[in-house]
Each structure stands twice: as C-alpha cells, then as structure tokens.
Coordinates of all heavy atoms in Angstrom, one line a residue:
M15 N 8.6 20.9 1.2 CA 8.4 19.4 1.3 C 7.0 19.1 1.7 O 6.5 19.7 2.7 CB 9.4 18.8 2.3 CG 9.4 17.3 2.1 SD 10.6 16.4 3.3 CE 12.1 17.2 2.9
S16 N 6.3 18.3 1.0 CA 4.9 18.0 1.3 C 4.8 16.7 2.1 O 5.8 16.0 2.3 CB 4.1 17.8 0.0 OG 4.5 16.7 -0.7
D17 N 3.6 16.4 2.6 CA 3.4 15.2 3.3 C 2.5 14.2 2.5 O 1.4 13.8 3.0 CB 2.8 15.5 4.7 CG 2.7 14.3 5.6 OD1 3.6 13.4 5.5 OD2 1.8 14.2 6.4
V18 N 2.9 13.9 1.4 CA 2.0 13.0 0.4 C 2.3 11.6 0.9 O 3.4 11.2 1.0 CB 2.4 13.3 -1.0 CG1 1.7 12.2 -1.9 CG2 2.1 14.7 -1.4
R19 N 1.1 11.0 1.0 CA 1.2 9.4 1.3 C 0.2 8.8 0.3 O -0.8 9.3 -0.1 CB 0.7 9.3 2.7 CG 1.7 9.8 3.8 CD 1.0 9.6 5.2 NE 1.6 10.4 6.2 CZ 2.8 10.1 6.8 NH1 3.4 9.0 6.6 NH2 3.2 10.9 7.7
H20 N 0.6 7.6 0.0 CA -0.1 6.8 -0.9 C -0.6 5.6 -0.1 O 0.3 5.1 0.7 CB 0.6 6.3 -2.2 CG 1.1 7.4 -3.0 ND1 0.3 8.1 -3.9 CD2 2.4 8.0 -3.1 CE1 1.1 8.9 -4.5 NE2 2.3 8.9 -4.1
V21 N -1.8 5.2 -0.2 CA -2.3 4.1 0.6 C -2.8 3.0 -0.4 O -3.7 3.3 -1.2 CB -3.5 4.5 1.5 CG1 -4.0 3.2 2.2 CG2 -3.0 5.5 2.5
L22 N -2.2 1.9 -0.5 CA -2.6 0.8 -1.2 C -3.4 -0.2 -0.3 O -2.9 -0.6 0.7 CB -1.4 0.0 -1.9 CG -0.3 1.0 -2.6 CD1 0.8 0.2 -3.1 CD2 -1.1 1.8 -3.7
V23 N -4.5 -0.7 -0.9 CA -5.4 -1.5 -0.1 C -5.3 -2.8 -0.7 O -5.5 -3.2 -2.0 CB -6.9 -1.1 -0.2 CG1 -7.9 -2.0 0.5 CG2 -7.1 0.4 0.2
L24 N -5.0 -3.9 0.1 CA -4.8 -5.2 -0.4 C -5.7 -6.2 0.3 O -6.1 -5.9 1.5 CB -3.3 -5.7 -0.1 CG -2.2 -5.0 -1.0 CD1 -2.5 -5.4 -2.5 CD2 -2.0 -3.6 -0.8
P25 N -5.9 -7.3 -0.3 CA -7.0 -8.2 0.3 C -6.5 -9.1 1.4 O -7.3 -9.6 2.3 CB -7.4 -9.1 -0.9 CG -6.1 -9.1 -1.7 CD -5.6 -7.8 -1.6
D26 N -5.2 -9.2 1.6 CA -4.7 -10.1 2.8 C -3.3 -9.7 3.2 O -2.6 -8.9 2.4 CB -4.8 -11.6 2.4 CG -4.0 -12.0 1.1 OD1 -2.8 -11.6 1.0 OD2 -4.7 -12.7 0.3
R27 N -2.9 -10.3 4.2 CA -1.5 -10.0 4.8 C -0.3 -10.4 3.8 O 0.6 -9.6 3.6 CB -1.3 -10.5 6.1 CG 0.0 -10.2 6.8 CD 0.1 -10.9 8.1 NE 1.3 -10.3 8.8 CZ 1.5 -10.3 10.0 NH1 0.6 -10.8 10.8 NH2 2.6 -9.9 10.5
D28 N -0.5 -11.5 3.2 CA 0.5 -12.0 2.3 C 0.8 -11.1 1.2 O 1.9 -10.7 0.8 CB 0.2 -13.5 1.8 CG 0.3 -14.5 2.9 OD1 1.0 -14.2 4.0 OD2 -0.3 -15.6 2.8
A29 N -0.3 -10.7 0.6 CA -0.3 -9.7 -0.5 C 0.3 -8.4 -0.1 O 1.2 -7.9 -0.8 CB -1.8 -9.4 -1.1
A30 N 0.0 -7.9 1.1 CA 0.5 -6.6 1.6 C 2.0 -6.7 1.9 O 2.7 -5.8 1.4 CB -0.2 -6.2 2.9
E31 N 2.5 -7.8 2.4 CA 3.9 -8.0 2.6 C 4.7 -8.2 1.3 O 5.7 -7.5 1.2 CB 4.2 -9.2 3.5 CG 3.6 -9.0 4.9 CD 3.8 -10.3 5.8 OE1 4.0 -11.4 5.2 OE2 3.6 -10.1 7.0
E32 N 4.1 -8.8 0.3 CA 4.8 -9.0 -0.9 C 4.8 -7.6 -1.6 O 5.9 -7.2 -2.3 CB 4.1 -10.0 -1.8 CG 4.8 -10.3 -3.1 CD 4.3 -11.5 -3.9 OE1 3.4 -12.2 -3.3 OE2 4.7 -11.7 -4.9
V33 N 3.7 -6.9 -1.6 CA 3.7 -5.5 -2.2 C 4.6 -4.6 -1.6 O 5.4 -3.9 -2.4 CB 2.2 -5.0 -2.1 CG1 2.3 -3.4 -2.4 CG2 1.3 -5.6 -3.2
A34 N 4.8 -4.6 -0.3 CA 5.7 -3.8 0.4 C 7.2 -4.1 0.0 O 8.0 -3.1 -0.2 CB 5.6 -3.9 1.9
Q35 N 7.5 -5.3 -0.1 CA 8.8 -5.8 -0.6 C 9.1 -5.4 -2.1 O 10.1 -4.8 -2.3 CB 8.9 -7.3 -0.4 CG 10.2 -7.8 -0.9 CD 10.5 -9.2 -0.6 OE1 9.5 -9.9 -0.3 NE2 11.6 -9.8 -0.9
V36 N 8.1 -5.5 -2.9 CA 8.3 -5.3 -4.3 C 8.3 -3.8 -4.7 O 9.1 -3.4 -5.6 CB 7.3 -6.1 -5.2 CG1 7.5 -5.7 -6.6 CG2 7.5 -7.6 -5.0
L37 N 7.6 -3.0 -3.8 CA 7.6 -1.6 -4.1 C 9.0 -1.0 -4.1 O 9.3 -0.2 -5.0 CB 6.8 -0.9 -3.0 CG 5.4 -0.7 -3.2 CD1 4.7 -0.2 -1.9 CD2 5.1 0.4 -4.2
G38 N 9.8 -1.4 -3.2 CA 11.2 -0.9 -3.1 C 12.0 -1.2 -4.5 O 12.7 -0.4 -4.9
E39 N 11.7 -2.4 -5.0 CA 12.5 -2.9 -6.2 C 11.9 -2.2 -7.4 O 12.7 -1.7 -8.2 CB 12.4 -4.4 -6.2 CG 13.0 -5.2 -5.1 CD 12.5 -6.6 -5.1 OE1 11.8 -7.0 -6.1 OE2 12.8 -7.3 -4.2
R40 N 10.6 -2.1 -7.5 CA 10.1 -1.6 -8.7 C 10.1 0.0 -8.9 O 10.3 0.5 -9.9 CB 8.6 -2.1 -9.0 CG 8.1 -1.7 -10.3 CD 6.8 -2.3 -10.7 NE 6.8 -3.7 -10.6 CZ 5.7 -4.4 -10.9 NH1 4.6 -3.8 -11.3 NH2 5.6 -5.8 -10.7
F41 N 9.8 0.6 -7.6 CA 9.7 2.1 -7.8 C 10.9 2.8 -7.0 O 11.0 4.0 -6.9 CB 8.4 2.5 -7.0 CG 7.1 2.1 -7.8 CD1 6.5 0.9 -7.5 CD2 6.8 2.8 -8.9 CE1 5.4 0.5 -8.2 CE2 5.7 2.4 -9.7 CZ 4.9 1.2 -9.3
A42 N 11.9 2.0 -6.5 CA 13.0 2.6 -5.9 C 12.7 3.5 -4.8 O 13.3 4.7 -4.7 CB 13.9 3.2 -7.0
V43 N 11.8 3.1 -3.9 CA 11.5 3.8 -2.8 C 12.6 3.9 -1.7 O 13.2 2.8 -1.5 CB 10.1 3.6 -2.2 CG1 9.0 3.8 -3.2 CG2 10.1 2.1 -1.6
D44 N 12.8 5.0 -1.1 CA 13.9 5.0 0.0 C 13.4 4.5 1.3 O 14.3 3.9 2.0 CB 14.3 6.5 0.2 CG 14.9 7.1 -1.2 OD1 15.5 6.3 -1.9 OD2 14.9 8.3 -1.3
E45 N 12.2 4.7 1.7 CA 11.8 4.4 3.0 C 10.8 3.1 2.9 O 10.0 3.0 2.0 CB 10.9 5.5 3.6 CG 10.4 5.4 5.0 CD 9.7 6.6 5.4 OE1 10.1 7.7 5.2 OE2 8.7 6.4 6.2
E46 N 11.1 2.2 3.8 CA 10.2 1.0 3.8 C 8.7 1.4 4.0 O 8.5 2.1 5.1 CB 10.7 0.1 4.8 CG 10.0 -1.2 4.8 CD 10.6 -2.3 5.8 OE1 11.8 -2.2 6.0 OE2 9.8 -3.2 6.2
P47 N 7.8 0.9 3.2 CA 6.4 1.2 3.4 C 5.9 0.5 4.7 O 6.5 -0.5 5.2 CB 5.8 0.5 2.3 CG 6.8 0.3 1.4 CD 8.1 0.1 2.0
R48 N 4.9 1.1 5.4 CA 4.2 0.6 6.5 C 3.1 -0.3 6.2 O 2.3 0.0 5.3 CB 3.7 1.7 7.5 CG 4.7 2.3 8.4 CD 4.0 3.2 9.3 NE 2.6 3.2 9.2 CZ 1.8 4.1 9.7 NH1 2.2 5.0 10.5 NH2 0.5 4.1 9.6
I49 N 3.0 -1.4 6.9 CA 1.8 -2.4 6.7 C 0.9 -2.2 7.9 O 1.3 -2.3 9.0 CB 2.2 -3.8 6.5 CG1 3.2 -3.9 5.3 CG2 1.0 -4.7 6.4 CD1 3.8 -5.3 5.2
V50 N -0.4 -1.9 7.6 CA -1.4 -1.7 8.6 C -2.6 -2.6 8.3 O -3.1 -2.7 7.3 CB -1.9 -0.2 8.6 CG1 -2.9 0.0 9.7 CG2 -0.6 0.6 8.8
R51 N -3.1 -3.3 9.4 CA -4.4 -4.0 9.3 C -5.5 -3.1 9.6 O -5.6 -2.4 10.5 CB -4.3 -5.2 10.3 CG -5.6 -6.0 10.2 CD -5.5 -7.2 11.2 NE -6.7 -8.0 11.2 CZ -7.7 -7.8 12.0 NH1 -7.7 -6.8 12.9 NH2 -8.8 -8.6 11.9
D52 N -6.5 -3.2 8.7 CA -7.7 -2.2 8.8 C -8.9 -3.1 8.8 O -9.5 -3.6 7.9 CB -7.7 -1.3 7.6 CG -8.9 -0.3 7.7 OD1 -9.2 0.1 8.8 OD2 -9.4 0.1 6.6
A53 N -9.4 -3.4 10.0 CA -10.6 -4.2 10.2 C -11.8 -3.3 10.2 O -11.8 -2.2 10.5 CB -10.5 -4.9 11.6
L54 N -12.9 -3.9 9.6 CA -14.2 -3.2 9.5 C -14.6 -3.1 11.0 O -14.4 -3.8 11.9 CB -15.1 -4.0 8.7 CG -14.8 -4.1 7.3 CD1 -15.7 -5.1 6.6 CD2 -14.7 -2.9 6.5
A55 N -15.3 -2.0 11.3 CA -15.8 -1.8 12.6 C -16.5 -2.9 13.2 O -17.5 -3.5 12.6 CB -16.8 -0.5 12.6
G56 N -16.1 -3.3 14.4 CA -16.8 -4.5 15.1 C -16.3 -5.9 14.6 O -16.8 -6.8 15.1
E57 N -15.4 -5.9 13.6 CA -15.1 -7.2 13.1 C -13.6 -7.6 13.6 O -12.7 -6.7 13.4 CB -15.0 -7.1 11.5 CG -16.3 -6.9 10.9 CD -17.3 -8.0 11.1 OE1 -16.9 -9.1 11.2 OE2 -18.6 -7.8 11.0
D58 N -13.5 -8.7 14.1 CA -12.2 -9.2 14.6 C -11.6 -10.3 13.8 O -10.4 -10.7 13.8 CB -12.3 -9.8 16.0 CG -12.5 -8.7 17.0 OD1 -12.1 -7.6 16.8 OD2 -13.2 -8.9 18.0
D59 N -12.5 -10.8 12.8 CA -12.0 -12.0 12.0 C -11.0 -11.4 10.9 O -11.3 -10.4 10.2 CB -13.3 -12.5 11.3 CG -12.9 -13.8 10.5 OD1 -11.8 -14.1 10.4 OD2 -13.9 -14.5 10.0
A60 N -9.9 -12.0 10.8 CA -8.9 -11.6 9.9 C -9.4 -11.6 8.4 O -9.0 -10.9 7.5 CB -7.6 -12.5 9.9
E61 N -10.4 -12.5 8.1 CA -10.9 -12.5 6.8 C -11.7 -11.2 6.4 O -12.0 -11.0 5.2 CB -11.7 -13.8 6.6 CG -10.9 -15.0 6.6 CD -11.7 -16.3 6.2 OE1 -12.8 -16.1 5.5 OE2 -11.2 -17.4 6.5
D62 N -12.1 -10.6 7.4 CA -13.0 -9.3 7.1 C -12.1 -8.1 7.3 O -12.6 -6.9 7.1 CB -14.0 -9.2 8.3 CG -15.2 -10.2 8.1 OD1 -15.4 -10.7 7.0 OD2 -15.6 -10.7 9.2
A63 N -10.7 -8.3 7.3 CA -9.9 -7.1 7.3 C -9.2 -6.9 6.0 O -9.2 -7.8 5.1 CB -8.7 -7.5 8.3
Q64 N -8.9 -5.7 5.6 CA -8.0 -5.3 4.6 C -6.7 -4.9 5.1 O -6.5 -4.6 6.3 CB -8.7 -4.0 4.0 CG -10.1 -4.2 3.3 CD -10.6 -2.9 2.8 OE1 -10.4 -1.9 3.3 NE2 -11.3 -3.1 1.8
W65 N -5.8 -5.0 4.3 CA -4.3 -4.7 4.6 C -3.9 -3.5 3.9 O -4.1 -3.5 2.6 CB -3.5 -5.9 4.4 CG -3.8 -6.9 5.5 CD1 -4.8 -7.9 5.3 CD2 -3.1 -7.2 6.8 NE1 -4.8 -8.6 6.5 CE2 -3.8 -8.2 7.3 CE3 -2.2 -6.6 7.4 CZ2 -3.4 -8.7 8.6 CZ3 -1.7 -6.9 8.6 CH2 -2.4 -8.0 9.2
L66 N -3.4 -2.5 4.5 CA -3.0 -1.3 3.9 C -1.4 -1.2 3.8 O -0.8 -1.6 4.8 CB -3.5 0.0 4.7 CG -5.0 0.0 5.0 CD1 -5.3 1.2 5.8 CD2 -5.8 -0.2 3.7
V67 N -1.0 -0.7 2.7 CA 0.4 -0.5 2.6 C 0.6 1.1 2.5 O 0.0 1.6 1.4 CB 1.1 -1.2 1.3 CG1 2.6 -0.9 1.2 CG2 1.0 -2.7 1.6
V68 N 1.1 1.7 3.4 CA 1.3 3.2 3.4 C 2.6 3.5 2.9 O 3.6 3.1 3.6 CB 1.0 3.7 4.8 CG1 1.0 5.3 4.8 CG2 -0.4 3.2 5.3
L69 N 2.7 4.4 1.9 CA 4.0 4.8 1.4 C 4.2 6.3 1.4 O 3.2 7.0 0.7 CB 4.1 4.3 0.0 CG 5.2 4.6 -0.9 CD1 6.5 4.0 -0.3 CD2 5.0 4.0 -2.3
R70 N 5.1 6.8 1.9 CA 5.5 8.3 1.8 C 6.0 8.7 0.5 O 6.9 8.0 0.0 CB 6.4 8.7 3.0 CG 5.6 8.5 4.3 CD 6.5 8.9 5.5 NE 7.2 10.2 5.3 CZ 8.1 10.7 6.2 NH1 8.4 10.1 7.2 NH2 8.6 11.9 5.9
D71 N 5.7 9.8 0.0 CA 6.1 10.3 -1.3 C 6.2 11.8 -1.2 O 5.6 12.6 -1.9 CB 5.2 9.9 -2.4 CG 5.6 10.2 -3.8 OD1 6.8 10.5 -3.9 OD2 4.8 10.3 -4.7
E72 N 7.1 12.4 -0.3 CA 7.2 13.7 0.0 C 7.6 14.4 -1.3 O 7.3 15.6 -1.4 CB 8.2 13.9 1.1 CG 7.7 13.4 2.4 CD 8.7 13.4 3.5 OE1 10.0 13.7 3.2 OE2 8.4 13.3 4.7
E73 N 8.4 13.9 -2.2 CA 8.8 14.6 -3.4 C 7.8 14.5 -4.5 O 8.0 15.0 -5.6 CB 10.2 14.1 -3.9 CG 11.2 14.4 -2.8 CD 12.5 13.8 -3.2 OE1 12.7 13.3 -4.3 OE2 13.5 13.7 -2.3
E74 N 6.7 13.8 -4.3 CA 5.6 13.5 -5.3 C 6.2 13.0 -6.6 O 5.8 13.5 -7.6 CB 4.8 14.7 -5.3 CG 4.1 15.1 -4.2 CD 3.2 16.4 -4.3 OE1 2.4 16.4 -5.2 OE2 3.3 17.3 -3.5
R75 N 7.1 12.0 -6.5 CA 7.6 11.5 -7.7 C 6.9 10.2 -8.2 O 7.1 9.8 -9.4 CB 9.1 11.2 -7.6 CG 9.4 10.3 -6.5 CD 11.0 10.1 -6.5 NE 11.3 8.9 -5.7 CZ 11.4 7.6 -6.1 NH1 11.0 7.3 -7.3 NH2 11.6 6.7 -5.3
L76 N 6.1 9.7 -7.4 CA 5.4 8.4 -7.8 C 4.1 8.7 -8.4 O 3.2 9.5 -8.0 CB 5.2 7.5 -6.6 CG 6.4 7.1 -5.8 CD1 6.1 6.4 -4.5 CD2 7.3 6.2 -6.7
D77 N 3.8 8.0 -9.6 CA 2.6 8.2 -10.4 C 1.4 7.4 -9.7 O 1.5 6.3 -9.6 CB 2.8 7.8 -11.8 CG 1.6 8.0 -12.6 OD1 1.3 9.1 -13.1 OD2 0.8 7.1 -12.7
P78 N 0.3 8.1 -9.4 CA -0.8 7.4 -8.6 C -1.4 6.3 -9.5 O -1.8 5.3 -9.1 CB -1.9 8.5 -8.5 CG -1.0 9.8 -8.3 CD 0.1 9.6 -9.3
G79 N -1.4 6.6 -10.9 CA -2.0 5.6 -11.8 C -1.2 4.3 -11.8 O -1.6 3.2 -11.9
E80 N 0.2 4.4 -11.9 CA 1.1 3.3 -11.8 C 1.0 2.5 -10.6 O 1.0 1.3 -10.5 CB 2.5 3.8 -12.1 CG 2.9 4.3 -13.5 CD 4.3 4.7 -13.6 OE1 5.1 4.2 -12.9 OE2 4.5 5.4 -14.5
L81 N 0.8 3.3 -9.5 CA 0.6 2.6 -8.1 C -0.7 1.8 -8.1 O -0.7 0.7 -7.5 CB 0.7 3.6 -7.0 CG 2.1 4.2 -6.7 CD1 1.9 5.3 -5.7 CD2 3.0 3.1 -6.2
D82 N -1.7 2.4 -8.7 CA -3.1 1.6 -8.7 C -2.9 0.5 -9.5 O -3.4 -0.7 -9.1 CB -4.1 2.6 -9.3 CG -5.5 2.0 -9.1 OD1 -5.8 1.4 -8.0 OD2 -6.3 2.2 -10.0
A83 N -2.2 0.5 -10.7 CA -2.1 -0.7 -11.6 C -1.2 -1.7 -10.8 O -1.5 -2.9 -10.8 CB -1.4 -0.3 -12.9
F84 N -0.2 -1.3 -10.2 CA 0.7 -2.1 -9.4 C -0.1 -2.9 -8.3 O 0.0 -4.1 -8.2 CB 1.8 -1.2 -8.8 CG 2.7 -2.0 -7.9 CD1 3.7 -3.0 -8.3 CD2 2.6 -1.9 -6.5 CE1 4.5 -3.7 -7.5 CE2 3.5 -2.5 -5.6 CZ 4.4 -3.5 -6.1
A85 N -1.0 -2.2 -7.6 CA -1.6 -2.8 -6.5 C -2.6 -3.8 -7.2 O -3.0 -4.9 -6.5 CB -2.4 -1.8 -5.6
G86 N -3.2 -3.5 -8.3 CA -4.1 -4.3 -9.0 C -3.6 -5.8 -9.4 O -4.3 -6.7 -9.5
E87 N -2.3 -5.8 -9.4 CA -1.6 -7.1 -9.7 C -1.8 -8.0 -8.5 O -1.7 -9.3 -8.7 CB -0.1 -6.9 -10.0 CG 0.2 -6.1 -11.2 CD 1.7 -5.9 -11.4 OE1 2.5 -6.5 -10.8 OE2 2.1 -4.8 -12.1
W88 N -2.2 -7.5 -7.4 CA -2.4 -8.4 -6.1 C -3.9 -8.2 -5.8 O -4.3 -8.5 -4.7 CB -1.5 -7.9 -5.0 CG -0.2 -8.4 -5.1 CD1 0.4 -9.6 -4.6 CD2 0.9 -7.8 -5.8 NE1 1.7 -9.7 -5.0 CE2 2.1 -8.6 -5.7 CE3 1.0 -6.6 -6.5 CZ2 3.3 -8.2 -6.2 CZ3 2.3 -6.2 -7.0 CH2 3.4 -7.0 -6.9
E89 N -4.8 -7.9 -6.7 CA -6.3 -7.6 -6.5 C -6.5 -6.6 -5.5 O -7.4 -6.6 -4.7 CB -6.9 -9.0 -6.0 CG -6.7 -10.0 -7.1 CD -7.4 -11.3 -6.7 OE1 -8.2 -11.4 -5.8 OE2 -7.2 -12.4 -7.3
G90 N -5.6 -5.4 -5.5 CA -5.8 -4.3 -4.6 C -6.0 -3.1 -5.4 O -6.2 -3.1 -6.6
W91 N -6.0 -2.0 -4.8 CA -6.1 -0.7 -5.4 C -5.5 0.4 -4.6 O -5.1 0.1 -3.4 CB -7.6 -0.3 -5.6 CG -8.3 -0.1 -4.3 CD1 -8.5 1.0 -3.7 CD2 -9.0 -1.2 -3.6 NE1 -9.3 0.8 -2.6 CE2 -9.6 -0.6 -2.5 CE3 -9.2 -2.6 -3.8 CZ2 -10.4 -1.3 -1.6 CZ3 -10.0 -3.3 -2.8 CH2 -10.5 -2.6 -1.8
R92 N -5.2 1.6 -5.2 CA -4.7 2.7 -4.5 C -5.9 3.6 -4.0 O -6.8 4.0 -4.8 CB -3.8 3.5 -5.5 CG -3.2 4.8 -4.7 CD -2.6 5.7 -5.8 NE -2.4 7.0 -5.2 CZ -3.2 8.0 -5.3 NH1 -4.4 7.9 -5.9 NH2 -3.0 9.2 -4.8
E93 N -5.9 3.8 -2.7 CA -7.0 4.6 -2.2 C -6.9 6.1 -2.5 O -5.8 6.6 -2.3 CB -7.0 4.4 -0.6 CG -8.2 5.0 0.1 CD -9.4 4.3 0.0 OE1 -9.5 3.1 -0.5 OE2 -10.6 4.9 0.0
E94 N -7.9 6.7 -3.0 CA -7.9 8.1 -3.3 C -7.8 9.0 -2.0 O -8.6 8.6 -1.1 CB -9.0 8.6 -4.2 CG -8.8 8.0 -5.6 CD -7.6 8.6 -6.4 OE1 -7.3 9.8 -6.2 OE2 -7.1 8.0 -7.2
P95 N -7.1 9.9 -1.9 CA -7.0 10.7 -0.7 C -8.3 11.5 -0.4 O -9.2 11.8 -1.2 CB -5.9 11.7 -0.9 CG -5.4 11.7 -2.2 CD -6.1 10.5 -2.9

C-alpha cells in the first residue's frame, strides 16, 4: 500500500468546503478529505491564504488529470508532488 496524497489548491474556504463535499460524490472516495488553510509566509489576512483539500489515494485509483480539471471548476488546481 502506498501513501499517495493529492493536494487540490483552492482560492477560498467556501470553494474548499464545496470541493471536499463534492469529491465524495463524484469520485466515490472512502475517506473524508482534509481542508487546510495555507497562508503565505508572514501573511495573516485570509484573502492572502490558499485553501488546500488533501485527499489520500493509497490504491492510486484517482486520475490526477481528472482531479486537476475538477479543481479547475472552482478556479483551483491539483498541486504536483
């Protein structure tokens, strides 16, 4: 079993929460994705933060291209490892 994780970068918290919810429906993921706030160094303003949705894919069954296109629906992207 591998420790593959996908990280989707979203522009705001609302988008991250919606993506995390829809991921389960669209991709039938078993585990709820984690939502993480990623502020730029020295920035406390929420507008300067990105929101990350971290999704484990130990069986490597999720297609990275499909995840990138999916995140793009919310003006986000999949971060390359």
Side-chain angles (χ1 to χ4, degrees):
M15 190 180 305
S16 68
D17 188 30
V18 174
R19 296 178 196 273
H20 300 283
V21 177
L22 307 180
V23 182
L24 287 302
D26 58 53
R27 182 180 186 154
D28 291 338
E31 289 175 347
E32 190 170 348
V33 163
Q35 179 181 5
V36 175
L37 264 170
E39 298 165 7
R40 190 171 306 177
F41 294 97
V43 296
D44 296 331
E45 185 176 320
E46 185 174 333
R48 275 190 3 192
I49 298 174
V50 179
R51 181 178 180 267
D52 182 32
L54 300 173
E57 298 292 336
D58 290 329
D59 188 354
E61 291 188 23
D62 292 327
Q64 295 176 326
W65 290 84
L66 309 178
V67 175
V68 181
L69 174 65
R70 289 178 50 184
D71 184 21
E72 293 173 347
E73 297 175 9
E74 298 185 50
R75 63 178 191 81
L76 300 173
D77 180 85
E80 287 182 26
L81 289 172
D82 189 42
F84 173 73
E87 295 175 24
W88 284 269
E89 299 181 17
W91 65 89
R92 178 184 164 275
E93 187 72 26
E94 287 295 325

